[in-house]
Amino acid sequence: MPRPNNWAGRVNRPENAKELSALRYYVARGGPFADNACTEQAARRLGLQSTLRPVGRPAEESESPCLNNRL
């Protein structure tokens, strides 16, 4: 695949705040730096959907809705 016309300019331009935040996130998680659709497709194909979930245990709900109905 040939390189785009302004390849050196594209590669050497500084990242904006959003891109830099995403880069740091994916480096910390050890994941690919790609758009969500591409990442989700690759995770499904490789059976790695769990890697897309947040790290840690899910937040505990404050109260169960069933307990609120007790008299």
Side-chain angles (χ1 to χ4, degrees):
M1 174 183 276
R3 291 182 177 163
N5 291 336
N6 189 15
W7 181 80
R10 288 178 160 185
V11 171
N12 292 320
R13 77 167 172 76
E15 293 81 18
N16 63 37
K18 186 177 179 181
E19 291 170 331
L20 188 56
S21 176
L23 276 169
R24 288 180 175 151
Y25 173 80
Y26 288 113
V27 166
R29 292 286 309 257
F33 181 62
D35 64 2
N36 288 340
C38 181
T39 303
E40 289 173 10
Q41 182 183 23
R44 271 195 312 277
R45 189 175 67 240
L46 299 171
L48 299 171
Q49 295 91 333
S50 63
T51 63
L52 301 178
R53 291 191 288 260
V55 176
R57 295 181 67 171
E60 190 173 305
E61 292 185 25
S62 59
E63 289 187 33
S64 171
C66 297
L67 296 176
N68 294 334
N69 294 331
R70 291 186 177 175
L71 296 176

